[in-house]
Amino acid sequence: MSGNAFLNYIGGEWKASASGEVLESSNPANKNEVVGSVQKSTKSDLDEAVAQAKSAQKAWRKLAGAERGNYLYQAAAILEENLEEIATTMTKEMGKSLPEAKGETTRGIQILKYYAGEGMRSDGDVIPSTDAGALMFSKRVPIGVVGVITPWNFPVAIPIWKMAPALIYGNTIVLKPATEGAVTAAKVIECFEKAGFPAGVVNYVSGSGSVIGQGLAEHADVHAVTFTGSNNVGKSIGKIVAARGGKYQLEMGGKNPIIIAEDADIEAAVDATLSGGLKSTGQKCTCSSRVIVQSSIYDQFKERLIGKAKEITVGDGMDASTWMGPCASEGQFNTVKHYIAKGKEEGATLVLGGNELTDGKLKDGYYIEPTIFDDVTTNMTIAQEEIFGPVLSLMKVDTIEDAIELANDVEFGLSASIFTKNIDHILSFIDDIEAGLVRINSETAGVELQAPFGGMKASSSYSREQGQAAKEFFTTMKTVFLKG
Ligand SMILES: NC(=O)C1=CN([C@@H]2O[C@H](COP(=O)(O)OP(=O)(O)OC[C@H]3O[C@@H](n4cnc5c(N)ncnc54)[C@H](OP(=O)(O)O)[C@@H]3O)[C@@H](O)[C@H]2O)C=CC1
Ligand SMILES: O=C(O)CCC(=O)C(=O)O
């Protein structure tokens, strides 16, 4: 590749799209800086990638799991050698701070190593047969070709946490990354290329969601599609794949609550609210967005939250002093401004921020102040819809029962957190909260790669990613009955 101008990676070769057109990626911290370019691919590019993945599948699945694992270990080592460059590209392409980008790349390395080891673990069970002379067992087998459609907010970790399990269990893949993270994702694919994966096992096709993403969903030779992104797109992918009998997995939005009980450690709760709510500029599906506080400590908590939020440094993610970077794109910037206007219009009280930041070095970026609304009620748009920006909504309750009821009063159910020392409250929270990730005295974000990840309600398609849970999606099962 020349610099950051990337072609598609199909059948083990970097290839220009039939369209002859490219899509440029610009830096959200400085919209005049072009970070790189990727191909604006066509349906025929996608067809070629799927055909390559299909023809590579048999030889790949015939390898021993340990051999497939060696390719993943190799990819991990190469990613590690390129950590600095990949993290820098991520910060420049989608704006998260460099330490966060490095942390995410490190997580990518760990995910690859975790699934590399999976090649040596059990892929079935022996089940006693009613026939004493027979051996009966289950055996996990790959599904075939997997389409991987990923968002821009974790352009390294999300492609890897989908590709690594798909590959180790013997599937071949076609990755369609979000256009706003496609240069970073191409650099990850370069690591897979250098790791020497057989041609056609790993394919990368960039381009618009409505052509390449939808094309993957519709493609008869793509047996399964794994997606992370918005609810509208996810639901549409689910319908398309289901209609043709394929398998799908959707990880979508969140509207995550953090409950602060009157016995909470206020300092720890404030730190967790800011970290969970505003790190990555609020652009995580696990971000805290609704801050539900018991009335007896409400004012004390609010004052401390606002005080600490005022200390947040906003700037270019490449600057060492930056705590919070810009919104990832102009579209995201406009969405956040729309929700802030909506919050004011519907009667919430703006107690911090709410404005664009345009002074000095910030003038060419998509910067928004850390924003806090008070007096938010559950019927307001900002209490119901995913904002994906640095906006917190404070909500007051009298009891923990009320808090949990309020927390559940949204269509989403991804992550939820409570700060309390009261064991009864903790137990009822674990029992009654409608969320896939239940976190106690800890922020709502923070996913561990070895544990199941996914949500309830509209946040996911009931499936779980990561850890051992990934096996469920990326394999199917044979039950073997063997009699001599
Ligand atoms: N759960 C999460 O982690 C995420 C949630 N979101 C939520 O979604 C909102 C919008 O973000 P956005 O980036 O537009 O999310 P999208 O859901 O549009 O994008 C996610 C992925 O889907 C692709 N895609 C877009 N349209 C289609 C389609 N019709 N068929 C198949 N694939 C498609 C995108 O490609 P392309 O980039 O080329 O459009 C991208 O690769 C955010 O504000 C946030 O609320 C966003 C990202 C992650
Ligand atoms: O919190 C995390 O680390 C993961 C978040 C995530 O999966 C997402 O935002 O899409």
Side-chain angles (χ1 to χ4, degrees):
M1 288 300 89
S2 72
N4 280 348
F6 281 93
L7 304 179
N8 288 326
Y9 187 65
I10 299 175
E13 286 173 35
W14 292 95
K15 290 188 172 180
S17 162
S19 74
E21 290 180 69
V22 297
L23 298 165
E24 282 187 340
S25 217
S26 62
N27 183 347
N30 173 9
K31 53 195 167 205
N32 304 317
E33 181 190 338
V34 174
V35 177
S37 64
V38 295
Q39 301 297 296
K40 185 177 178 187
S41 306
T42 63
K43 183 74 175 40
S44 70
D45 301 318
L46 177 66
D47 287 344
E48 193 187 343
V50 173
Q52 289 287 343
K54 190 178 174 187
S55 69
Q57 212 268 315
K58 186 167 179 190
W60 180 245
R61 80 171 157 79
K62 291 271 183 194
L63 291 180
E67 281 181 79
R68 289 196 296 269
N70 286 338
Y71 287 105
L72 294 187
Y73 279 125
Q74 193 59 23
I78 294 165
L79 187 57
E80 199 155 14
E81 282 164 22
N82 292 281
L83 187 150
E84 196 75 33
E85 192 207 326
I86 290 176
T88 302
T89 306
M90 189 192 315
T91 295
K92 292 193 171 182
E93 190 173 27
M94 56 69 67
K96 76 172 63 167
S97 72
L98 190 58
E100 286 183 273
K102 284 185 184 172
E104 182 185 335
T105 311
T106 302
R107 182 164 153 194
I109 296 161
Q110 289 162 346
I111 296 168
L112 282 164
K113 289 181 183 167
Y114 175 87
Y115 284 109
E118 195 56 19
M120 299 281 272
R121 294 192 196 109
S122 164
D123 64 358
D125 294 309
V126 174
I127 303 146
S129 169
T130 50
D131 182 338
L135 171 66
M136 188 163 71
F137 59 94
S138 63
K139 181 172 169 46
R140 296 262 175 194
V141 293
I143 315 171
V145 175
V146 176
V148 178
I149 304 174
T150 54
W152 43 262
N153 60 337
F154 285 86
V156 169
I158 295 183
I160 290 180
W161 86 45
K162 292 174 185 293
M163 292 194 298
L167 292 167
I168 197 65
Y169 297 128
N171 304 282
T172 54
I173 64 107
V174 178
L175 169 66
K176 168 3 208 169
T179 302
E180 279 143 9
V183 173
T184 309
K187 292 199 169 187
V188 172
I189 295 297
E190 271 190 320
C191 298
F192 281 75
E193 178 202 12
K194 289 182 188 147
F197 278 79
V201 170
V202 174
N203 303 276
Y204 160 98
V205 183
S206 57
S208 87
S210 56
V211 176
I212 306 304
Q214 186 156 336
L216 270 174
E218 288 168 350
H219 209 297
D221 287 334
V222 174
H223 305 97
V225 175
T226 172
F227 166 86
T228 300
S230 65
N231 275 62
N232 287 345
V233 172
K235 277 186 201 156
S236 145
I237 289 175
K239 273 191 205 146
I240 295 169
V241 181
R244 62 174 180 81
K247 194 173 183 184
Y248 64 88
Q249 173 186 61
L250 313 171
E251 287 306 331
M252 302 171 286
K255 191 69 197 169
N256 311 302
I258 177 166
I259 297 174
I260 322 295
E262 57 195 2
D263 66 340
D265 175 337
I266 302 263
E267 277 309 301
V270 165
D271 288 347
T273 304
L274 293 176
S275 171
L278 305 181
K279 274 280 174 193
S280 283
T281 321
Q283 300 168 130
K284 293 184 196 174
C285 58
T286 48
C287 265
S288 320
S289 145
R290 294 173 299 141
V291 188
I292 301 172
V293 188
Q294 242 182 317
S295 44
S296 51
I297 53 147
Y298 190 88
D299 290 337
Q300 185 193 351
F301 177 85
K302 180 170 81 176
E303 200 180 306
R304 197 67 195 116
L305 185 73
I306 294 172
K308 276 211 155 173
K310 280 184 182 159
E311 292 169 14
I312 289 176
T313 48
V314 181
D316 186 334
M318 292 302 294
D319 292 344
S321 60
T322 293
W323 191 93
M324 191 178 96
C327 297
S329 65
E330 187 176 11
Q332 212 49 49
F333 180 61
N334 289 334
T335 302
V336 177
K337 287 193 292 183
H338 156 82
Y339 279 113
I340 292 172
K342 199 85 187 154
K344 289 194 229 169
E345 195 183 301
E346 292 182 1
T349 311
L350 187 63
V351 287
L352 186 76
N355 301 306
E356 295 175 31
L357 286 163
T358 51
D359 284 351
K361 286 203 285 188
L362 305 188
K363 72 178 183 343
D364 291 321
Y366 301 121
Y367 294 102
I368 291 190
E369 292 174 310
T371 296
I372 302 177
F373 277 106
D374 193 5
D375 305 317
V376 177
T377 54
T378 192
N379 56 322
M380 291 179 185
T381 308
I382 57 167
Q384 290 295 327
E385 294 182 11
E386 183 173 52
I387 299 176
F388 237 53
V391 181
L392 293 168
S393 292
L394 283 165
M395 305 171 91
K396 194 187 287 185
V397 287
D398 288 330
T399 66
I400 293 302
E401 237 182 4
D402 293 345
I404 296 174
E405 198 173 310
L406 183 61
N408 286 338
D409 188 26
V410 286
E411 64 167 324
F412 299 105
L414 185 54
S415 182
S417 152
I418 189 167
F419 271 75
T420 181
K421 299 186 189 83
N422 182 313
I423 190 70
D424 291 330
H425 291 158
I426 291 173
L427 290 174
S428 39
F429 182 72
I430 294 171
D431 222 29
D432 296 334
I433 196 72
E434 294 164 0
L437 300 172
V438 179
R439 301 180 54 92
I440 295 122
N441 295 318
S442 186
E443 65 176 74
T444 54
V447 167
E448 299 217 21
L449 63 98
Q450 71 281 23
F453 171 64
M456 291 183 173
K457 296 162 49 178
S459 290
S460 104
S461 55
Y462 294 96
S463 45
R464 291 289 180 267
E465 300 191 276
Q466 306 198 57
Q468 291 300 298
K471 203 183 249 184
E472 234 7 92
F473 181 72
F474 291 109
T475 63
T476 184
M477 187 102 80
K478 284 182 179 170
T479 302
V480 182
F481 180 85
L482 170 65
K483 198 162 159 72

